């Protein structure tokens, strides 16, 4: 590897904003073999990582000398960033989950439009934070690597004009695309369960669309009586349910009934009603015009009148009514929140409309403060992406701190964050261990803990250390390609052995052979468990599903080398791919080859797909084996991570006799006690805790 002459000074480490400020950075290194990847050598403060107490792992400690791989991205946003949902509402990024429908964009017939987009992955990370401020008052906190759509294409938050960190990046004067949130009312959306909001909503709804009847009728026996009738009939059940709930909260009980059946031209209408005088009088009191209108009452009034008489067609938001007082109250409430409402000329039937001006930005601001109930009126899918607001970048501020952030991946490759079009990492790493974190562990910036062995020796020498088993390969492969340069494992092995600490290594890297003499010596003093991850035994399929990784033949040769060194070696046949590698012929041949290579045991699990990995596996499957897509979707539908129990039971019935036949059952004879003990690796596999490192193209990181 040509590493000489590739060193960068700390001040040049622009590919990872803020890292140069950390006092543990030694240097940053780039090499032609890893185009676009920077290795940041750091002085680690700790080496041992405790496994969370609630974990099913049969070990308590891990060591990760490296952090990251060479094919990933670090796009991320502040957890409170407002994400536009598919129904037009918004929610903070922290609450967005895989499977949610949000709004993204797509170019259709040359025009970029807002479209529904499904969230297929979400991950957390910690990154240096930057605040981007726009001329309309919108601000957004993001990492330096995040990208936004501008009038000149996608641009990162930060970058350099030349050198290693060169890339398109925001500068003051750039204009972002979207509608912004500068018109958004200050503070969070109003509470729709506050008394003032409920009274305002019912005033707008009932005065806009309800029936209040108080009439004197003659009695058949002589004299008269006064009837009190309240009725509210709507075609939208959301608004009717909210109105009924609010009335009940305020002491009025109503009865639902079918008002009119659906026809070819009209939807079904349901209604609520009451004929009690006390209820009628209570409703009359609730919808009286207040002497003082609070902000909550005004927000509720706008929500109620919009649900009753509002429309949002072709991006134009209107509230229509024939009552001058209702129109006046609508304009006054809009003005109270800084929204521009104008009164349009009356139609032939005398109805007039208040139109809200300001484009999509004003419409979204209205929805945020009014919180109407009817979802269909809020949708923006299909609307052209037009930028009416002033979304010029006026400042990019380094906040000087590393904070928790989130990002999501969507089916359109973007989403709307604080009202601007935001890029997500659509090309997430595709060879990942299925249990790995999808954020920090998949950066283009690889952290190398160059002093990990020295720190480990100090930690193992503490009187509090209880010599519990330590696992390597649980997060990142300790024998990834960079280990050929840094040689961190020999020092780690020596430290563990000298302290009397048992350890295990799981890898798919053939570089393990380099350390076999040292590992063999260590095994004479402490328990050492070794395992090779070998999932696919068909060469063409293996190259397709794990491009660039060591071949099955090379990994089996490593198993043989381990056995020649006098050590046991388990093989992790993980994951078994339904309909691809689960045939009796394939499994029998896999076990035959593992046995021939000298494997002492084989452990297996069926494929399971974590949310952050599922979309990338399905993309590969759709391209390479489209005939299997329906079967996989039925097995791993929705948020299902694991194969169905029936399949796993069937797989067990197939695998167990084959494993017995080849003499590869987990567990082996202990040379001291003569009993059979299970290794930490075998226990880990049994807990389904560490599946194989499944990689999908493209996958240069698999070369590690």
């Amino acid at each position: 590897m040509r590493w000489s002459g590739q060193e960068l000074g700390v001040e040049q480490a622009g590919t990872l904003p803020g890292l140069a400020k950390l006092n543990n950075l030694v240097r940053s290194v780039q090499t032609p073999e890893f185009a676009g990847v920077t290795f940041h050598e750091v002085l680690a403060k700790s080496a041992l990582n405790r496994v969370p107490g609630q974990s099913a792992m049969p070990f308590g400690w891990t060591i990760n000398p490296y952090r990251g791989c060479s094919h990933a991205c670090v796009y991320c946003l502040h957890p409170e960033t407002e994400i536009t949902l598919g129904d037009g509402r918004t929610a903070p990024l922290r609450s967005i989950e895989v499977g949610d429908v949000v709004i993204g964009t797509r170019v259709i017939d040359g025009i970029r439009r807002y479209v529904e987009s499904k969230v297929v992955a979400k991950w957390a990370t910690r990154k240096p934070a930057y605040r981007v401020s726009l001329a309309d008052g919108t601000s957004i906190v993001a990492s330096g690597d995040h990208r936004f759509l501008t009038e000149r294409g996608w641009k990162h938050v930060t970058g350099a004009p030349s050198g290693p960190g060169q890339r398109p990046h925001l500068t003051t004067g750039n204009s972002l695309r979207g509608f912004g949130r500068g018109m958004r009312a200050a503070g969070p959306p109003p509470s729709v369960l506050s008394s003032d909001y409920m009274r305002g909503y019912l005033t707008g709804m009932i005065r806009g669309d309800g029936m209040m009847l108080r009439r004197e009728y003659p009695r058949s026996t002589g004299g008269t009586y006064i009837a009190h009738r309240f009725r509210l009939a709507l075609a939208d059940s959301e608004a009717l349910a909210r109105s009924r709930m609010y009335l009940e909260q305020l002491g009025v009980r109503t009865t639902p009934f079918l008002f009119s059946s659906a026809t070819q031209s009209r939807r079904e209408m349901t209604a609520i009603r009451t004929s009690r005088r006390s209820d009628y009088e209570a409703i009359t009191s609730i919808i009286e015009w207040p002497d003082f209108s609070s902000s909550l009452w005004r927000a509720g009034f706008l929500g109620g009148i919009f649900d009753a008489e509002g429309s949002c067609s072709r991006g134009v938001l209107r509230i229509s009514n024939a009552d001058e007082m209702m129109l006046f109250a609508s304009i006054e409430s809009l003005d109270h929140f800084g929204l521009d409402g104008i009164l349009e000329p009356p139609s032939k039937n005398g109805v007039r409309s208040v139109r809200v001006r300001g484009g999509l930005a004003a419409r979204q601001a209205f929805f945020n403060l009014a919180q109407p109930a009817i979802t269909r009126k809020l949708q923006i899918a299909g609307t052209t992406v037009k930028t009416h607001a002033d979304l010029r970048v006026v400042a990019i501020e380094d906040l000087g701190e590393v904070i928790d952030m989130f990002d999501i991946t969507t089916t359109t490759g973007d989403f709307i964050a604080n009202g601007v079009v935001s890029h997500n990492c659509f090309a997430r790493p595709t060879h990942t261990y299925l249990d790995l974190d999808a954020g920090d562990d998949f950066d283009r910036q690889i952290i190398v803990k160059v002093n990990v062995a020295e720190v480990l020796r100090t930690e193992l020498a503490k009187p509090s250390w209880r010599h519990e088993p330590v696992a390597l390969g649980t997060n990142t492969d300790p024998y990834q390609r960079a280990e050929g340069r840094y040689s961190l494992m020999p020092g780690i092995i020596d430290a563990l052995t000298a302290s009397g600490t048992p350890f295990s290594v799981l890898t798919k890297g053939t570089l393990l052979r380099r350390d076999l003499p040292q590992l063999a010596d260590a095994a004479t003093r402490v328990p050492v468990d070794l395992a090779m991850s070998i999932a696919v035994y068909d060469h063409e399929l293996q190259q397709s599903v794990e491009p660039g990784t060591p071949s099955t033949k090379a990994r089996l040769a490593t198993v043989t080398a381990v056995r020649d060194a006098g050590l046991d070696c388990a093989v992790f046949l993980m994951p078994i791919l339904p309909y691809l590698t689960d045939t009796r012929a394939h499994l029998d041949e896999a076990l035959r080859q593992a046995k021939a290579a000298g494997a002492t045991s084989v452990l297996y699990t069926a494929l399971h797909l974590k949310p952050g990995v599922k979309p990338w596996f399905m993309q590969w499957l759709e391209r390479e084996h489209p005939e299997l897509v329906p079967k996989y979707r039925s097995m791993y539908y929705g948020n299902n991570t694991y194969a169905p129990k029936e399949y796993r039971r069937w797989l067990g019935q197939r695998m167990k006799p084959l494993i017995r036949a080849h003499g590869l059952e987990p567990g082996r004879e202990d040379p001291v006690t003569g009993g059979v003990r299970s290794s930490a690796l075998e226990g880990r596999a049994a807990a389904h805790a560490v599946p194989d490192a499944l990689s999908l193209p493209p996958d240069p990181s698999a070369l590690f």
Side-chain angles (χ1 to χ4, degrees), residues 518-642:
Q518 186 182 10
L519 287 165
D521 178 67
T524 65
R525 290 182 278 172
V526 296
V528 176
D529 291 307
L530 302 180
M532 285 297 297
S533 172
I534 315 175
V536 183
Y537 292 75
D538 176 277
H539 180 70
E540 290 186 4
L541 179 61
Q542 191 270 334
Q543 290 296 301
S544 174
V545 77
E546 293 183 336
T549 62
S551 67
T552 298
K553 182 179 180 180
R555 284 186 248 182
L556 287 168
T558 303
V559 172
T560 301
V562 172
R563 297 293 288 128
D564 289 344
L567 298 168
D568 287 350
C569 188
V571 166
F572 274 33
L573 207 166
M574 300 180 181
I576 293 175
L577 307 178
Y579 305 105
L580 287 172
T581 63
D582 62 354
T583 64
R584 186 180 297 276
H586 182 96
L587 295 173
D588 187 54
E589 177 62 17
L591 294 172
R592 186 196 67 76
Q593 291 188 37
K595 183 67 174 182
T600 49
S601 63
V602 167
L603 302 108
Y604 70 94
T605 59
L607 173 71
H608 69 276
L609 297 173
K610 285 293 184 74
V613 174
K614 185 182 296 185
W616 317 117
F617 179 86
M618 294 304 295
Q619 286 181 8
W620 172 83
L621 193 69
E622 287 174 358
R623 184 177 68 252
E624 300 294 332
H625 299 279
E627 75 283 358
L628 297 180
V629 169
K631 294 181 179 180
Y632 270 76
R633 284 180 176 163
S634 66
M635 293 179 69
Y636 299 96
Y637 67 90
N639 292 325
N640 281 9
T641 295
Y642 296 92

Side-chain angles (χ1 to χ4, degrees), residues 117-136:
S117 184
K118 192 172 183 179
V119 178
V120 294
K122 180 183 180 181
W123 62 95
T125 184
R126 285 180 59 81
K127 296 295 173 187
Y130 293 79
R131 178 182 288 113
V132 179
S133 299
L134 308 182
D136 78 325

Side-chain angles (χ1 to χ4, degrees), residues 410-425:
T410 70
T411 50
T412 57
D414 63 2
F415 55 96
I416 310 304
N418 280 7
V420 294
V421 183
S422 168
H423 196 283
N424 63 211
C425 180

Side-chain angles (χ1 to χ4, degrees), residues 83-85 87-91 238 242 364 371-375 378:
I83 306 302
T84 304
L85 304 180
D87 63 6
R89 302 181 192 277
T90 61
E238 298 157 305
R242 179 187 284 191
Q364 293 303 105
Q371 295 291 298
I374 302 175
T375 302
L378 310 183

Side-chain angles (χ1 to χ4, degrees), residues 363-381:
R363 185 173 78 170
Q364 293 303 105
F366 176 90
F367 291 156
N368 184 70
L369 67 91
Q371 295 291 298
I374 302 175
T375 302
R376 66 176 178 84
K377 294 184 179 183
L378 310 183
Q379 295 177 353
I380 67 173

Side-chain angles (χ1 to χ4, degrees), residues 227-470:
H228 298 82
R229 302 281 190 270
F230 162 74
R231 184 187 71 215
L232 179 63
L234 297 171
D236 292 285
S237 59
E238 298 157 305
L240 191 66
R242 179 187 284 191
S243 299
R244 189 183 183 203
M245 180 187 71
Y246 284 177
L247 286 170
E248 187 165 343
Q249 289 285 322
L250 297 173
V252 178
R253 289 199 169 188
T254 59
T255 303
F257 67 100
L258 177 63
F259 183 74
S260 63
S261 300
T263 67
Q264 289 184 346
S265 58
R266 299 183 64 178
R267 293 183 294 160
E268 177 184 282
M269 293 186 71
T270 54
I272 56 176
R273 64 187 172 192
T274 180
S275 300
R276 290 186 292 270
R277 176 179 177 178
S278 60
D279 289 339
Y280 181 93
E281 291 175 347
I283 295 172
T284 300
S285 176
I286 290 169
I287 66 173
E288 284 182 352
W289 296 108
D291 295 329
F292 169 76
S293 302
S294 68
S295 292
L296 280 170
W297 186 94
R298 292 179 186 277
F301 174 77
L302 289 174
I305 188 62
F306 180 78
D307 278 343
E309 303 284 3
S311 65
C312 194
S313 177
R314 297 182 180 179
V316 180
L317 192 153
R318 287 185 172 89
I319 296 171
S320 303
N321 205 279
D323 188 305
E324 292 293 330
M325 185 62 186
M326 294 289 284
L327 297 170
F328 171 78
S330 298
I331 291 178
E332 188 181 52
S333 295
L334 289 168
D335 184 65
H336 174 81
F337 291 110
L339 295 175
D340 184 11
I342 64 166
L343 190 61
E344 295 184 326
S347 61
K348 293 181 180 180
N349 60 3
V351 174
R352 303 187 72 178
S353 296
V354 174
R355 176 164 59 90
V356 178
R357 298 192 293 188
L360 196 53
R363 185 173 78 170
Q364 293 303 105
F366 176 90
F367 291 156
N368 184 70
L369 67 91
Q371 295 291 298
I374 302 175
T375 302
R376 66 176 178 84
K377 294 184 179 183
L378 310 183
Q379 295 177 353
I380 67 173
T383 305
T384 302
V385 178
K386 294 181 179 179
T387 304
H388 296 284
D390 189 351
L391 300 184
R392 286 176 299 112
V393 176
V394 296
I396 303 170
E397 177 187 3
D398 183 348
L399 298 184
E401 60 178 334
V402 175
I403 67 172
D404 294 319
M405 295 187 182
F406 289 107
D407 203 1
I408 55 177
T409 295
T410 70
T411 50
T412 57
D414 63 2
F415 55 96
I416 310 304
N418 280 7
V420 294
V421 183
S422 168
H423 196 283
N424 63 211
C425 180
F426 195 67
R428 288 300 294 166
T430 51
H431 86 302
T432 67
Y433 288 104
L434 301 184
D435 280 335
L436 280 181
D437 171 73
D440 285 327
D441 294 333
F442 297 106
D443 285 340
R444 292 184 183 275
Q445 315 298 329
I446 309 304
I447 309 301
V448 184
K449 303 173 185 178
V450 292
N451 66 331
V452 65
E454 291 79 3
V455 173
L456 178 62
R457 289 190 187 95
T458 300
E459 292 177 332
L460 295 175
K462 293 180 180 179
S464 58
W465 177 243
R466 298 183 178 182
H467 304 88
E468 300 174 66
V470 173

